[in-house]
Amino acid sequence: MDLRSLYYSLPVALRYPARKLYFLFKPEKTQYYNGIRLPKSGEIFTGRGNFLEIGFTVRENLLKFAGLNSRSHVFDIGCGLGRVAIPLTSEIKEGEYHGLDIVKKGINYCREQISTKFPNFHFHHQPLFNDLYTSGGKKATETSFPVADNSMDIVIANFLFTHLIPEETERYIEETARILK
């Protein structure tokens, strides 16, 4: 059994503490971008690869293909620890960013590290059940996004749909259609 399989065999409540413990013995330098402290490896609970580099790649794709500009209103489903939000702080000035996630620790981190410096960046916790990240909450098929109809220019769902069943995916697409301008 490889380390990743072992990690996902743990109960949800033990995964985050196990990750923190694993990285406790791998000291790393604190890094910042745009005045925001980046999460250390032991704090990251989603995704592989270079945290900031992936965010920059998404930002560049949004600039190139989605018309991202300083006035854009962006909604990020499954924002985690702000992997995309952090690079967007250098782009969205007059617009707004809204991040949504089911993991409370990630939302708390984003509110403390990002929203305090960038008040047009908002983070919403939505306690939904998901066997990878949470052990409680309502079903994702019953969710609604916490923004008004026709209020967003861009909706991001980076690495999200692999975690959903078809009925949840349908609900998220319905909500995305509702909030897009």
Side-chain angles (χ1 to χ4, degrees), residues 65-93:
F65 301 112
L68 177 71
N69 63 60
S70 67
R71 294 175 307 284
S72 292
H73 287 73
V74 176
F75 190 81
D76 187 357
I77 313 166
C79 65
L81 290 160
R83 183 185 310 258
V84 174
I86 293 169
L88 290 182
T89 60
S90 64
E91 297 297 330
I92 301 172
K93 303 298 182 188

Side-chain angles (χ1 to χ4, degrees), residues 80-157:
L81 290 160
R83 183 185 310 258
V84 174
I86 293 169
L88 290 182
T89 60
S90 64
E91 297 297 330
I92 301 172
K93 303 298 182 188
E94 297 90 33
E96 286 190 346
Y97 169 97
H98 289 266
L100 176 74
D101 207 280
I102 64 173
V103 180
K104 183 74 169 156
K105 286 180 196 296
I107 293 301
N108 289 343
Y109 170 86
C110 289
R111 287 174 177 166
E112 292 166 12
Q113 296 298 321
I114 303 170
S115 295
T116 56
K117 296 166 187 68
F118 299 89
N120 60 329
F121 278 66
H122 313 280
F123 295 90
H124 311 274
H125 176 243
Q126 197 162 60
L128 301 176
F129 171 78
N130 180 287
D131 62 350
L132 287 177
Y133 302 111
T134 60
S135 56
K138 66 181 182 178
K139 295 178 181 179
T141 54
E142 301 167 357
T143 192
S144 13
F145 299 155
V147 294
D149 295 359
N150 308 308
S151 60
M152 296 291 126
D153 300 306
I154 299 169
V155 175
I156 305 166

Side-chain angles (χ1 to χ4, degrees), residues 30-33 35-40 43 86 109 113:
T30 302
Q31 296 180 17
Y32 292 84
Y33 174 79
I36 301 165
R37 181 187 66 79
L38 300 180
K40 294 193 175 191
E43 296 171 314
I86 293 169
Y109 170 86
Q113 296 298 321

